[in-house]
Amino acid sequence: MRTSIRRTFVAATATSALVMTGLAAPALASHSVDPPGDAGSPGDDVITVPINDSAAGGTYYQPFQRAYAGATAEGTPVYVYVPVGALDAVKGVHSLDPAFDHNEGDGFVPCADQNPADYVLTQAQIDYLGDELSTQIVHVNEQHFGPMAAADPADPDSDSLVTLVYNVQDENYYDCAVDTYTAGYFAPDFIDSLGMNVIVLDAFDWANRVGENPSAEPWGDGDPANDRPQLYEGVIAHELEHLLMNYSDPGELSWVDEGLADVAAFLNGYDMTGSHLTYQQVFHRETSLTRWGGGLENYGASFSYFAYLWEQAGGNGGGDLTPDLEYDDAAGDLLIKLVFAEQADSIEGVQNAIDAFNARTGADLRSAEDLFRDWAVTMYLDDEDSSVWDLENFDLGPTSGGWTIDVANSVFWDDRGSYQGAQPAPKWDNAANRPDSTALPFGVSYEKFRNPGPRVALQFDGEDSAQVAPHSGETHWWGGYASQSDTILALDTPVAGGDTVDFWTWHFIEEGWDYGFVEAEVDGEWVTVPVTDVASGAVVSTDENPHSNNTEGNGITGTSGGTYFVDEPQYVQYQVTLPDGATDLRWRYSTDAAYLDTGWFIDDITVNGADAAVSSEDGNWIETTGEQDNNWTVQVIATCDLTPGTASAGEIVDDAGNHVYRFTGDDISTYTLSTKCANGPNTDFVVSVSNLPSGDLTVLDAGYDYSVVKTKK
């Protein structure tokens, strides 16, 4: 899946002066299904770009005209391109008109409710946005993260930046009921296929989403109620971070990359309130920080975690927690840059960056896991008087459209996880509003208790581990969990053409985007081979190539033994027959940018019915038990002291009078909590539960159970 940013889709009304209808686009605007002989180069009047439809699938080639040319103070060229004819019309312009259908025979029909007036682009808008790129965004991003390299190493001039603006084909493009849209994206394929550094912006509603005060701009509709100030400026900063990360650490997991991309918009001074934080507050329990799901809530979690780290590390370095558009090589600025540059991925990479930060500055910043625990408290309390449990730059509630975790649990989720009075076992076990006791990795559940009794304790039992179990024996082989990777598992047993290789496999692979391949070496070249299911005899590999990631054909994708995202994967037996002339065999797991599923496991391999040997080099496949070691954290959050007169183990008190009681382990029995200080209608306490897994796998759900019991003393 390409690296994109989602925004809520809000209908807008353009003024009649901006509505241009009845004009035919020039013939040059027509797209082609065939690649051009020469796509052009950055700065050319016209370039032809491969456009992938993320919803309907398929790739077509669209001519774009240069609408802006500028350069940064350091001399980096900056260009903005729009579909040919886009500045003259909307209707009839391919890749802009919302009625445009690049493949009328695929059964996908554009949403008829979209208004062409909402896709008008003007030269003034393009000039403004191009200048914002040239004078600020590129400079701020490169200073805070890292340099933009030449897309084509043989062409030093290819370090220029190309921004494409068009009507992105996504779910919303075809389904009128979808209320989010792809506001922009970065696809690494542009670098490989075009030799250009390219980011994309959607063309929707520029009249209200470009400029600090859109309604007052010449292109605005005059209605401040429609304004989404500097939305596309923020999207550009976000997508440019992805482009820079592609040069720094292309295998970094999406939650880190996406969180830092939102931080890029934040460091550019753009407003980061709105849908991302709103969805995090509402869907907090359904959101893993570290297992990227691609929803707005995932962006909100990742961004707020890194914004919290930036603030806790000191912000911009001068003691100020407001971004100043300059990189200070200290405090939060330095920490974020170290996270960006760190080659280890996920929480390990964040921890390595914190270690480097502490060593370089002499600071004593808490561990990545302790910062996660404090972030979990912060996203609930957000107390402006607290130096520990507050997001200085955001006031959750007003910032998140009025939604807080408490409001979401009460209103959106029908009083989920809110309990009144004592909770004896029969009542607790049958509580209709009690959420399912399943924890996502690095997720957070919050449950609220009012008047449970004057003295209570918690008894918690979490699963020690979760596992994708081998088909047989103690271990099996796993293709790993990294973006933009091709990992190889080699067959060591000699083979020849006509041999039959059987293997048992468990796979949960992002359908249509990531693929597993079985490849034979023939005449020194690796070629993919068809794969069949032994039980049914059906071919399970596919030649379908909806997003240009299965160009070799014979790809395995989706869920083994069932329907993708409907059935649980299971171990099944697959088989391949080596083609004539084959001398070797291997398995290759290929992932693109962004979203990942659990991946590909292989076990019990035979050649012509005899057990076979396999191996993999470091950094490729992993021989593993498939186990995830669960590490549970239970936190009791209260606004008063639940253990008066005692400095209890695990008790943390901030400067605003909030008390948090932190417990870790798989089997927890807490000390007595006295709720006398919060008697009455107020919340006595909130229990938050998180699993911070470790081991080869860290992406599996895990179960737990707990209860709040009365104690005598």
Side-chain angles (χ1 to χ4, degrees):
M1 180 181 290
R2 62 194 179 195
T3 304
S4 61
I5 184 170
R6 303 288 296 178
R7 294 293 187 188
T8 51
F9 187 88
V10 180
T13 302
T15 63
S16 59
L18 295 180
V19 178
M20 306 180 70
T21 62
L23 298 177
L28 189 58
S30 298
H31 71 284
S32 172
V33 296
D34 299 315
D38 181 8
S41 300
D44 287 355
D45 290 341
V46 176
I47 59 175
T48 302
V49 177
I51 300 298
N52 179 259
D53 187 325
S54 66
T59 298
Y60 66 94
Y61 297 86
Q62 176 65 47
F64 283 78
Q65 67 185 60
R66 191 189 68 232
Y68 175 89
T72 68
E74 293 79 15
T76 300
V78 174
Y79 304 106
V80 180
Y81 283 83
V82 299
V84 171
L87 297 179
D88 300 319
V90 173
K91 283 192 173 181
V93 177
H94 292 200
S95 294
L96 184 65
D97 187 342
F100 165 66
D101 191 347
H102 71 90
N103 183 3
E104 295 182 354
D106 64 1
F108 283 79
V109 179
C111 169
D113 292 348
Q114 303 292 5
N115 186 352
D118 292 338
Y119 296 87
V120 170
L121 299 171
T122 71
Q123 187 64 57
Q125 292 168 329
I126 297 293
D127 289 343
Y128 162 79
L129 207 61
D131 289 345
E132 192 82 353
L133 265 168
S134 298
T135 61
Q136 176 182 310
I137 296 173
V138 175
H139 170 78
V140 171
N141 275 35
E142 288 194 313
Q143 289 295 306
H144 281 86
F145 299 103
M148 181 169 57
D152 180 358
D155 179 10
D157 293 334
S158 66
D159 67 349
S160 56
L161 177 64
V162 171
T163 299
L164 302 178
V165 183
Y166 74 97
N167 190 354
V168 176
Q169 290 101 48
D170 55 7
E171 288 183 303
N172 165 268
Y173 192 89
Y174 298 102
D175 187 347
C176 301
V178 174
D179 62 358
T180 61
Y181 74 110
T182 303
Y185 71 86
F186 162 71
D189 179 68
F190 286 130
I191 294 175
D192 299 330
S193 64
L194 295 176
M196 301 183 195
N197 293 315
V198 176
I199 57 178
V200 171
L201 286 179
D202 192 68
F204 173 68
D205 192 29
W206 276 45
N208 298 289
R209 303 182 180 218
V210 170
E212 190 171 356
N213 185 10
S215 60
E217 299 289 353
W219 55 76
D221 67 3
D223 183 359
N226 291 333
D227 285 358
R228 301 286 299 277
Q230 297 182 316
L231 186 146
Y232 285 121
E233 293 92 311
V235 172
I236 285 182
H238 177 110
E239 299 305 332
L240 181 56
E241 186 280 340
H242 289 320
L243 192 154
L244 300 178
M245 179 66 85
N246 189 71
Y247 287 113
S248 174
D249 184 11
E252 182 58 84
L253 297 188
S254 289
W255 79 269
V256 175
D257 192 14
E258 295 290 357
L260 294 181
D262 266 8
V263 168
F266 168 71
L267 294 174
N268 271 276
Y270 301 130
D271 182 12
M272 291 306 295
T273 61
S275 60
H276 289 185
L277 291 177
T278 299
Y279 273 65
Q280 186 280 329
Q281 290 286 280
V282 174
F283 296 99
H284 54 275
R285 198 178 193 282
E286 291 69 36
T287 305
S288 164
L289 175 67
T290 58
R291 189 180 71 196
W292 185 254
L296 295 172
E297 60 276 11
N298 296 105
Y299 289 98
S302 297
F303 167 61
S304 57
Y305 177 75
F306 284 114
Y308 181 70
L309 265 60
W310 183 81
E311 291 185 359
Q312 289 294 300
N316 63 30
D320 189 351
L321 297 182
T322 303
D324 58 6
L325 304 184
E326 293 297 332
Y327 175 69
D328 295 299
D329 199 34
D333 281 2
L334 173 60
L335 175 61
I336 291 298
K337 192 165 190 174
L338 290 170
V339 172
F340 176 88
E342 172 59 44
Q343 295 302 293
D345 297 336
S346 197
I347 285 291
E348 179 187 358
V350 176
Q351 184 59 57
N352 289 351
I354 291 172
D355 292 343
F357 174 82
N358 286 339
R360 179 167 166 177
T361 64
D364 190 24
L365 188 63
R366 306 181 296 285
S367 71
E369 292 190 347
D370 276 344
L371 284 162
F372 169 83
R373 295 178 177 103
D374 283 331
W375 168 82
V377 176
T378 298
M379 298 310 286
Y380 180 80
L381 286 177
D382 191 38
D383 188 337
E384 294 181 4
D385 294 326
S386 174
S387 60
V388 181
W389 298 313
D390 177 46
L391 275 176
E392 178 77 18
N393 284 277
F394 305 95
D395 186 6
L396 299 177
T399 292
S400 51
W403 291 96
T404 64
I405 287 168
D406 274 344
V407 171
N409 277 343
S410 175
V411 177
F412 190 89
W413 297 106
D414 196 20
D415 223 22
R416 178 178 70 178
S418 182
Y419 314 110
Q420 181 73 39
Q423 299 298 315
K427 180 180 178 181
W428 177 248
D429 292 341
N430 294 288
N433 62 338
R434 184 180 169 192
D436 174 57
S437 295
T438 301
L440 280 63
F442 284 86
V444 191
S445 175
Y446 304 90
E447 296 176 64
K448 181 166 55 178
F449 295 84
R450 286 191 176 97
N451 299 318
R455 290 174 296 278
V456 297
L458 272 70
Q459 294 178 350
F460 176 90
D461 183 20
E463 291 180 346
D464 296 351
S465 64
Q467 185 181 25
V468 176
H471 177 253
S472 69
E474 298 295 324
T475 64
H476 50 167
W477 289 91
W478 179 45
Y481 194 82
S483 295
Q484 296 191 68
S485 66
D486 283 273
T487 56
I488 304 297
L489 177 66
L491 179 66
D492 296 334
T493 300
V495 289
D499 286 347
T500 298
V501 177
D502 289 55
F503 59 98
W504 286 85
T505 181
W506 184 107
H507 60 80
F508 185 30
I509 300 172
E510 186 188 14
E511 191 166 79
W513 293 91
D514 296 340
Y515 290 89
F517 299 99
V518 183
E519 298 178 321
E521 187 176 23
V522 181
D523 296 330
E525 299 289 336
W526 290 102
V527 297
T528 64
V529 294
V531 183
T532 59
D533 177 81
V534 172
S536 67
V539 175
V540 291
S541 56
T542 179
D543 291 336
E544 293 183 5
N545 186 26
H547 305 297
S548 301
N549 294 339
N550 188 23
T551 55
E552 308 93 323
N554 296 313
I556 300 168
T557 192
T559 302
S560 58
T563 302
Y564 184 63
F565 260 107
V566 174
D567 301 310
E568 290 291 325
Q570 58 182 295
Y571 252 107
V572 294
Q573 190 177 25
Y574 288 170
Q575 183 181 91
V576 298
T577 300
L578 274 69
D580 291 343
T583 56
D584 206 349
L585 188 81
R586 69 182 189 184
W587 293 261
R588 176 167 62 90
Y589 180 42
S590 180
T591 64
D592 64 0
Y595 180 82
L596 289 167
D597 284 320
T598 310
W600 195 14
F601 291 82
I602 288 176
D603 201 3
D604 294 334
I605 302 161
T606 63
V607 175
N608 298 326
D611 291 345
V614 295
S615 62
S616 187
E617 295 181 356
D618 289 345
N620 283 262
W621 286 58
I622 302 166
E623 188 174 15
T624 175
T625 62
E627 284 187 283
Q628 168 182 285
D629 184 19
N630 296 325
N631 302 288
W632 296 94
T633 294
V634 176
Q635 301 188 91
V636 177
I637 305 169
T639 55
C640 64
D641 190 353
L642 301 183
T643 58
T646 302
S648 303
E651 180 179 8
I652 308 168
V653 185
D654 70 357
D655 44 355
N658 297 300
H659 291 250
V660 169
Y661 304 85
R662 183 171 294 168
F663 308 94
T664 60
D666 298 337
D667 189 359
I668 298 168
S669 294
T670 73
Y671 39 73
T672 295
L673 303 172
S674 172
T675 66
K676 184 177 180 180
C677 65
N679 281 343
N682 297 322
T683 301
D684 286 346
F685 57 80
V686 169
V687 175
S688 85
V689 177
S690 298
N691 180 25
L692 286 62
S694 60
D696 291 336
L697 272 69
T698 58
V699 296
L700 304 178
D701 294 346
Y704 66 91
D705 194 12
Y706 78 98
S707 57
V708 174
V709 297
K710 287 186 176 183
T711 61
K712 294 182 179 180
K713 60 178 180 177

